[in-house]
Amino acid sequence: LGTTVLAVGEALINCRNIMRVSPRQMPPELFQGLVDSASNAFNLRELAHVPWIPKWHLFIHLAHRARQTGNPALQATFLDESYNGRLAAIAASAHRMTWHRRVLSSFRYAFSAGQNKRAR
């Protein structure tokens, strides 16, 4: 089991390294390396007892679509995606009776206090 988990990790690290060095339009050899490493990690996942979650499905699609869409590491995310973590922390600390007021007021305070600083 340990060697299989290690193999999954090495395949995922290889994917990350390929995406780091690849330009937006991936050359065929880097694209093939990404697909092979992603497929290897995916196929070994079950043997390593790594649970199936939808993100594995998404990861395989990202690797296989890299030829058309480009390097997955260079694809944009939503500008406000970083708010999800802060919102989850606020919601987790709120009591269910006052949850809606706590979440809205805390989130509104965070924005008005200037804690919403993003790199520009």
Side-chain angles (χ1 to χ4, degrees):
L1 179 66
T3 57
T4 310
V5 171
L6 183 62
V8 171
E10 287 173 347
L12 292 172
I13 288 170
N14 194 40
C15 288
R16 185 193 63 191
N17 290 339
I18 290 170
M19 289 187 284
R20 275 190 182 160
V21 301
S22 294
R24 181 169 303 280
Q25 193 61 31
M26 298 178 79
E29 64 276 0
L30 290 175
F31 166 73
Q32 190 61 53
L34 178 65
V35 169
D36 290 345
S37 295
S39 297
N40 190 27
F42 181 78
N43 292 330
L44 291 171
R45 171 203 57 78
E46 188 173 1
L47 294 172
H49 300 286
V50 175
W52 167 258
I53 56 174
K55 291 193 188 245
W56 276 103
H57 186 133
L58 175 64
F59 180 63
I60 293 299
H61 279 295
L62 282 174
H64 284 100
R65 292 181 181 164
R67 182 176 291 163
Q68 292 85 13
T69 61
N71 185 348
L74 301 176
Q75 295 176 7
T77 59
F78 293 105
L79 292 176
D80 59 353
E81 192 170 352
S82 63
Y83 303 152
N84 292 342
R86 189 179 331 159
L87 181 59
I90 293 169
S93 68
H95 189 274
R96 66 180 175 196
M97 299 258 318
T98 59
W99 186 87
H100 61 287
R101 280 181 284 172
R102 165 89 172 159
V103 170
L104 290 175
S105 64
S106 296
F107 210 57
R108 193 175 303 142
Y109 175 76
F111 281 101
S112 67
Q115 296 176 9
N116 179 30
K117 295 186 178 171
R118 287 189 293 232
R120 297 184 194 262

